[in-house]
């Protein structure tokens, strides 16, 4: 007996050309993926007269006039503009003044009490109008901070835009002193006004000096006319 080596071919690669009707335009040609799918289904059909099995994953198009469209990545929406808004730097002036005509009650120490809420709203409403009228270009807002006894000492924060001239401590005290005669429901003791720790007595002193100077000038003018 003579032995011989036998080699069995387990896989075979085949290349073929698919030809479509000559009148078929390139736009009418099927996509490469469709051709491969139809080919695999046709060969794998059990009704075929030939006995042939293929590896579906091995079928591919080597050359074709058709290019399958690629799926473009979904564009991400543009990120919203998260730049921080430009905020205006404000000047805060703490104003303290005394109300002599109203007795202090302990519920004014509680910001949630009806007495505190009503008094704060009354002061904020009226003084807001006062500052808006006197300093319209710089005044922004006003908020009551607290009340304490003696008779009632009111603490208020007043907010101004960054205009140093309009937020001068003496000017703010002068606005409050001028408003004392027109407000209702509470009173402002003119000599008790403090703005950032500066007492209003300096305002009164400046006003007194101005008044004295005006009177002296008026006296000089009258005496000059008498000599003419």
């Amino acid at each position: 007996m003579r032995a011989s080596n036998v080699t069995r071919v387990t896989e075979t690669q085949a290349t073929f050309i698919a030809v479509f009707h000559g009148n078929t335009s390139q736009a009418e040609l099927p996509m490469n993926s469709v051709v491969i799918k139809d080919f695999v289904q046709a060969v794998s059909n059990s009704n075929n007269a030939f006995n042939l099995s293929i590896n579906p994953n091995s079928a591919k198009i080597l050359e074709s006039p058709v290019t399958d469209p690629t799926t473009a990545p979904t564009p991400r929406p543009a990120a919203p503009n998260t730049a921080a808004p430009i905020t205006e730097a404000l000047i805060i002036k703490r104003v303290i003044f005394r109300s002599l005509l109203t007795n202090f009650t302990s519920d004014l120490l509680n910001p949630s009490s009806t007495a505190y809420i009503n008094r704060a709203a009354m002061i904020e409403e009226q003084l807001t109008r006062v500052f808006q009228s006197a300093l319209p270009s710089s005044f922004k807002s006003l908020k009551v901070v607290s009340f304490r006894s003696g008779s009632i000492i009111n603490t208020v924060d007043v907010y101004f835009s960054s205009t140093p001239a309009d937020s001068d401590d003496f000017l703010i005290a002068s606005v409050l002193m001028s408003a004392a005669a027109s407000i209702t429901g509470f009173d402002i003791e003119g000599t008790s006004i403090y703005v950032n720790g500066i007492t209003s007595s300096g305002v009164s002193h400046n006003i007194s000096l101005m008044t004295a100077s005006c009177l002296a000038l008026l006296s000089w003018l009258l005496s000059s006319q008498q000599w003419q």
Side-chain angles (χ1 to χ4, degrees):
M1 179 180 294
R2 187 171 59 184
S4 62
N5 293 330
V6 178
T7 302
R8 177 177 295 177
V9 178
T10 58
E11 293 184 358
T12 301
Q13 292 184 350
T15 303
F16 68 92
I17 300 175
V19 179
F20 294 89
H21 194 282
N23 295 329
T24 304
S25 65
Q26 182 171 333
E28 296 174 323
L29 292 176
M31 292 185 297
N32 296 332
S33 58
V34 174
V35 174
I36 292 176
K37 179 181 177 182
D38 291 345
F39 168 74
V40 171
Q41 288 179 348
V43 173
S44 303
N45 193 333
S46 59
N47 296 325
N48 289 330
F50 52 86
N51 183 15
L52 177 66
S53 62
I54 65 170
N55 179 2
N57 295 327
S58 67
K60 61 181 179 180
I61 303 293
L62 298 179
E63 293 184 16
S64 172
V66 177
T67 303
D68 285 4
T70 57
T71 303
T74 303
R76 295 183 179 180
N81 185 6
T82 57
I86 300 175
T87 56
E88 180 183 9
L90 297 179
I91 296 174
I92 305 174
K93 295 292 185 176
R94 175 146 296 187
V95 177
I96 301 174
F97 64 90
R98 186 194 308 272
S99 296
L100 293 174
L101 304 181
T102 310
N103 294 326
F104 180 83
T105 56
S106 59
D107 51 355
L108 289 176
L109 295 174
N110 179 12
S112 300
S113 69
T114 301
Y116 184 104
I117 293 173
N118 290 343
R119 182 174 179 84
M122 174 178 60
I123 292 176
E124 288 174 358
E125 179 183 1
Q126 295 192 55
L127 292 188
T128 293
R129 290 201 302 263
V130 167
F131 279 103
Q132 283 177 339
S133 176
L135 304 171
S137 62
S138 60
F139 172 76
K140 294 299 181 182
S141 61
L142 180 147
K143 182 176 179 58
V144 168
V145 176
S146 67
F147 303 114
R148 54 190 174 91
S149 60
S151 299
I152 299 180
I153 298 176
N154 312 274
T155 301
V156 178
D157 279 348
V158 188
Y159 296 81
F160 296 89
S161 61
S162 51
T163 307
D166 282 357
S167 59
D168 178 79
D169 294 342
F170 287 150
L171 178 58
I172 295 171
S174 299
V175 171
L176 281 178
M177 292 176 65
S178 300
S182 60
I183 60 175
T184 58
F186 68 101
D187 63 288
I188 299 174
E189 182 191 11
T191 58
S192 70
I193 299 173
Y194 284 80
V195 180
N196 278 8
I198 304 299
T199 179
S200 60
S201 59
V203 179
S204 301
H205 178 67
N206 289 341
I207 293 175
S208 298
L209 288 178
M210 185 178 296
T211 302
S213 299
C214 291
L215 291 175
L217 178 59
L218 178 61
S219 176
W220 179 82
L221 289 174
L222 292 175
S223 61
S224 299
Q225 288 180 353
Q226 290 178 355
W227 287 99
Q228 293 177 357

